[in-house]
Amino acid sequence: MVDVNPATYNIDPAAVRDAISERTKAIIPVHLFGQGSAMDDIIRIAMENDLFVIEDVAQSLGAHFSMDGKKVKLGTIGHIGCTSFFPTKNLGCYGDGGACFTNDDDIAEKIRMIVNHGARKKYFNERVGLNSRLDTLQAAVLNAKLGHLDDFIDRRRWAAAIYFEALKDVPFLCLPAQERGADHTFNQFTVRVSGGLRDKLKKFLNENGIPSMIYYPLPLHRQPVFAPYCRHGISLPVAEMICGEVLSLPMHTELTEDELLYITQKIKQFS
Ligand SMILES: Cc1ncc(COP(=O)(O)O)c(C=O)c1O
């Protein structure tokens, strides 16, 4: 686990470089909230150290990163891209689903086996796997929605532009920053609330019928499940600080102008 950039909430490439040891096998950038991590730096570090790159594009499907002046889709830059089709994602199905992307035939075959209980051939299991097949009904929903992905993203960007304009002068808010080279799909519109006011603002919004979420209350290195894998007493001060300040405002494709006006007016009334 390494620390993140306080402005973009994405993995900090300098921290990645410092954390590499002889046990390191792969770098896993999570393209958080809708925009890409600094993929040019990450790919350079991976090549210099002979590491795999596995992109988590669950919140940023459809976004790009500029590599050598060319816009490339996130999830297709590293060796493997992973996404989620949970209903809240940029491309959501009607339940649970996900996919991995790779251009490497050997990796593709391994992933297909893992998805099918470790079997290449039915009822002949060569490795430990999972039942992780994409349900046919979910696939049908995704087939119908895939062609609309860019429209869904445009709608999120439209809502984000209204938030940016309406909230730009609110003194206790730090609005999301643009990662260099990345475009933002605003799967989430996550602000930082300073002065220890985050929980009070969340309560105030809730009292006014406005849902908001804390993504995420506990950083990964503090999760019990990861304790055995983290360097003892590890401290990631930026991640810890951000977890105490972040608040994700309502964001989806069906938000109306009136709803956005109401939400932003209420935030401005809060003090
Ligand atoms: C960045 C990120 N990675 C991974 C996941 C896991 O997705 P799933 O629950 O579909 O496996 C999520 C889901 O919320 C996510 O936001």
Side-chain angles (χ1 to χ4, degrees):
M1 307 286 173
V2 300
D3 220 339
V4 293
N5 177 323
T8 65
Y9 317 121
N10 275 329
I11 197 166
D12 175 357
V16 171
R17 195 183 281 284
D18 287 348
I20 290 172
S21 74
E22 69 282 357
R23 296 173 59 223
T24 308
K25 296 217 164 49
I27 306 172
I28 309 181
V30 178
H31 304 310
L32 204 64
F33 298 148
Q35 67 175 338
S37 313
M39 285 308 287
D40 47 359
D41 291 342
I42 288 167
I43 293 293
R44 192 173 318 113
I45 295 167
M47 286 170 76
E48 285 166 14
N49 293 277
D50 201 18
L51 299 173
F52 286 101
V53 174
I54 303 172
E55 296 174 77
D56 179 336
V57 73
Q59 296 186 8
S60 302
L61 196 69
H64 302 83
F65 194 88
S66 284
M67 300 289 287
D68 304 321
K70 234 178 80 189
K71 275 176 79 174
V72 189
K73 285 253 188 254
L74 292 179
T76 69
I77 302 170
H79 299 83
I80 306 175
C82 307
T83 201
S84 164
F85 297 127
F86 190 73
T88 56
K89 305 302 185 203
N90 289 350
L91 180 64
C93 58
Y94 287 180
D96 278 307
C100 296
F101 314 110
T102 182
N103 280 326
D104 183 312
D105 290 341
D106 291 339
I107 293 177
E109 184 170 37
K110 277 188 193 139
I111 293 173
R112 281 198 195 98
M113 285 170 76
I114 292 168
V115 163
N116 282 299
H117 295 300
R120 209 181 322 233
K121 214 168 76 192
K122 211 168 175 147
Y123 306 129
F124 184 72
N125 304 86
E126 294 173 56
R127 59 190 304 147
V128 175
L130 307 160
N131 169 3
S132 195
R133 296 177 291 264
L134 183 66
D135 187 275
T136 306
L137 283 176
Q138 302 304 341
V141 171
L142 291 164
N143 265 343
K145 290 179 76 177
L146 180 60
H148 301 283
L149 175 58
D150 288 341
D151 298 336
F152 296 150
I153 291 171
D154 283 349
R155 190 70 193 181
R156 288 174 184 277
R157 287 184 175 144
W158 169 82
I162 292 178
Y163 276 137
F164 273 117
E165 182 54 31
L167 301 176
K168 64 177 190 286
D169 296 324
V170 178
F172 53 85
L173 289 189
C174 173
L175 302 183
Q178 190 81 32
E179 180 90 49
R180 173 192 52 81
D183 57 2
H184 205 317
T185 58
F186 294 102
N187 182 251
Q188 298 295 337
F189 193 90
T190 302
V191 299
R192 275 171 47 206
V193 188
S194 57
L197 292 172
R198 193 265 312 271
D199 293 349
K200 282 197 194 107
L201 175 60
K202 186 175 192 328
K203 187 162 171 281
F204 174 80
L205 292 177
N206 192 40
E207 285 163 1
N208 285 282
I210 301 169
S212 61
M213 293 293 288
I214 297 172
Y215 295 130
Y216 297 92
L218 196 63
L220 285 189
H221 65 291
R222 295 268 180 259
Q223 298 286 348
V225 66
F226 288 127
Y229 306 103
C230 286
R231 282 163 280 148
H232 182 67
I234 186 176
S235 163
L236 302 177
V238 179
E240 283 159 31
M241 179 268 289
I242 286 175
C243 284
E245 293 192 347
V246 278
L247 193 64
S248 298
L249 302 180
M251 174 54 80
H252 54 83
T253 52
E254 315 306 313
L255 278 170
T256 65
E257 202 159 354
D258 283 350
E259 286 168 337
L260 288 159
L261 189 68
Y262 175 73
I263 296 164
T264 52
Q265 273 174 352
K266 284 292 163 199
I267 292 173
K268 285 191 265 191
Q269 279 168 19
F270 173 76
S271 59

